[in-house]
Amino acid sequence: MPPTLISPVPAAPADEADPRGLPFTPRGPVSAAVLEHLVDGTPSGHTGLADAAVLASADIERDDDLQLALFALYASAYGSFRALRADLEWDPALIATRRIIEDAFEASLRRSVSLPELPAATADAVARALFAMTGAEGGPSLSRHLARKATVEQAHEFLVHRTVYTLREADPHSWAIPRLTGRPKAALVEIQSDEYGAGRPERMHAALFARAVRSAGLTDTYGAYIDDVPAVTLASHNTMSMFGLNRRLVGAIVGHLAAFEMTSSIPNRLYAEGLRRLGFGDDVCEYFDEHVEADAVHEQIAGRDLAGALAEDRPDLLADIVFGAAACLEVDDRVGRHMLDRWSRGQSSLRTEDER
């Protein structure tokens, strides 16, 4: 039997979480108005609300209302929730609101993310630079904590945070496929083919993670834990969605994927070690085991054949490739630091009732 679920609040059915038929609820006036329009088709003044909220926000990267609104707008493009009307995907008012929030979000990231000196626009130089960025020693390690010290409660919380992206794994980066040509396109398709199970739906990485979540005693319904995760977790997913959905940011989504793959293999080995230490079985650990080998291969393809080749073909995208990689490392590190900070104080990393 898997360890007993303790920390996360059991996910409520969608109609109990929100009368709109969504498994999560608004976090403020902007997200409430956006969701009302996306579900009911009722224009609700969200563009003006978003404009005012962006100007008033102390930190858009940690703003619950704005990050949830942006998550919902991106979810409409992904088709993540049936309650979001498909005919509103390109509604001009919703797109205007999305542009206001994501322009401010991108500007904030460009200010807050530190960049190294740009390498030469060659495949070798870019690959070396990316490996240097991803191999740099950081602060406390979430994966080492899971491997050596985490409790069962913390392991469950870790999985809850991961549901936001990993139940839709690979989708944000796939937006780049039609926007690339030649060597970078072939490299990305090679990586994504593995991510999607190479033709075997049961081997899709999202399906492997869904099985892990179920076996750990959680629900694999997408979005069921949105109400439980903080803005930094939503911001991590929103970063890659923003890079993927905007054609002008194709360099950033390529850099993001390169850094993502380059920082995956060793942490996933440690996650699997920690989960087994806590008594979880192979049905939970298989997802992480899969990434130890797969991403050791992917990191080479992503660094040289994808990001490096794109920089050679499109030197004008070099700065964004490096920015995308740096943003991936910084934003995901914030999620890890949030969890470790809360746990070090004996607190849950999930949102409390007072934070809702």
Side-chain angles (χ1 to χ4, degrees), residues 36 58 60 170 185 193 199 235 249 280 323 328:
E36 182 178 0
I60 191 172
K185 184 168 192 164
S193 176
L249 294 173
F280 292 91
F323 166 63
C328 173

Side-chain angles (χ1 to χ4, degrees), residues 115-195:
L115 301 179
E117 183 178 348
L118 293 182
T122 67
D124 284 345
V126 170
R128 285 197 304 270
L130 291 173
F131 275 111
M133 290 172 64
T134 56
E137 286 293 327
S141 165
L142 178 64
S143 58
R144 286 196 295 270
H145 179 84
L146 261 291
R148 301 169 186 171
K149 299 179 181 179
T151 65
V152 171
E153 293 171 282
Q154 291 169 358
H156 278 119
E157 291 186 14
F158 163 72
L159 292 172
V160 165
H161 284 277
R162 291 289 293 263
T163 60
V164 179
Y165 163 69
T166 315
L167 288 174
R168 299 299 304 257
E169 182 163 353
D171 289 352
H173 301 106
S174 291
W175 294 108
I177 293 174
R179 295 163 180 178
L180 297 174
T181 60
R183 296 175 299 166
K185 184 168 192 164
L188 180 54
V189 169
E190 182 177 358
I191 293 170
Q192 297 302 80
S193 176
D194 286 345
E195 298 287 341

Side-chain angles (χ1 to χ4, degrees), residues 18-326:
D18 185 80
R20 283 169 274 250
L22 291 168
F24 58 91
T25 53
R27 300 190 185 184
V30 181
S31 53
V34 165
L35 289 173
E36 182 178 0
H37 194 171
L38 283 169
V39 174
D40 300 331
T42 306
S44 46
H46 45 74
T47 304
L49 291 171
D51 202 23
V54 162
L55 291 174
S57 181
D59 184 354
I60 191 172
E61 297 174 41
R62 293 174 172 82
D63 190 302
D64 275 294
D65 189 26
L66 290 171
Q67 288 298 331
L68 182 65
L70 192 56
F71 172 82
L73 289 162
Y74 290 148
S76 174
Y78 285 114
S80 302
F81 306 101
R82 283 184 295 177
L84 304 182
R85 285 177 43 176
D87 62 323
L88 295 174
E89 179 184 356
W90 295 103
D91 179 90
L94 289 166
I95 295 298
T97 296
R98 194 183 101 182
R99 286 296 306 271
I100 288 170
I101 301 172
E102 71 181 6
D103 284 355
F105 183 37
E106 180 189 349
S108 180
L109 286 173
R110 289 189 183 275
R111 289 192 301 268
S112 66
V113 172
S114 298
L115 301 179
E117 183 178 348
L118 293 182
T122 67
D124 284 345
V126 170
R128 285 197 304 270
L130 291 173
F131 275 111
M133 290 172 64
T134 56
E137 286 293 327
S141 165
L142 178 64
S143 58
R144 286 196 295 270
H145 179 84
L146 261 291
R148 301 169 186 171
K149 299 179 181 179
T151 65
V152 171
E153 293 171 282
Q154 291 169 358
H156 278 119
E157 291 186 14
F158 163 72
L159 292 172
V160 165
H161 284 277
R162 291 289 293 263
T163 60
V164 179
Y165 163 69
T166 315
L167 288 174
R168 299 299 304 257
E169 182 163 353
D171 289 352
H173 301 106
S174 291
W175 294 108
I177 293 174
R179 295 163 180 178
L180 297 174
T181 60
R183 296 175 299 166
K185 184 168 192 164
L188 180 54
V189 169
E190 182 177 358
I191 293 170
Q192 297 302 80
S193 176
D194 286 345
E195 298 287 341
Y196 292 122
R200 298 171 60 193
E202 74 281 1
R203 299 304 302 172
M204 292 173 62
H205 289 180
L208 292 176
F209 186 73
R211 186 156 60 246
V213 166
R214 291 193 304 272
S215 299
L218 299 164
T219 178
D220 65 351
T221 300
Y222 186 69
Y225 295 109
I226 294 298
D227 279 346
D228 295 306
V229 301
V232 288
T233 302
L234 296 179
S236 174
H237 190 267
N238 286 342
T239 297
M240 62 182 93
S241 296
M242 176 174 66
F243 292 166
L245 278 163
N246 286 281
R247 181 164 59 93
R248 63 185 176 80
L249 294 173
V250 65
I253 193 61
V254 164
H256 187 287
L257 179 58
F260 203 80
E261 297 294 340
M262 290 175 171
T263 54
S264 177
S265 184
I266 293 174
N268 275 295
R269 175 176 58 79
L270 293 172
Y271 293 142
E273 288 178 7
L275 291 167
R276 288 192 168 95
R277 174 182 62 81
L278 292 168
F280 292 91
D282 290 345
D283 48 356
V284 175
C285 298
E286 181 184 19
Y287 167 83
F288 301 96
D289 294 337
E290 170 75 13
H291 284 70
V292 174
E293 181 176 347
D295 290 345
V297 175
H298 289 174
E299 67 180 21
Q300 299 295 329
I301 300 171
R304 176 181 292 274
D305 302 325
L306 174 57
L310 181 61
E312 283 192 347
D313 293 349
R314 294 281 308 275
D316 58 304
L317 297 180
L318 175 62
D320 266 1
I321 292 170
V322 174
F323 166 63

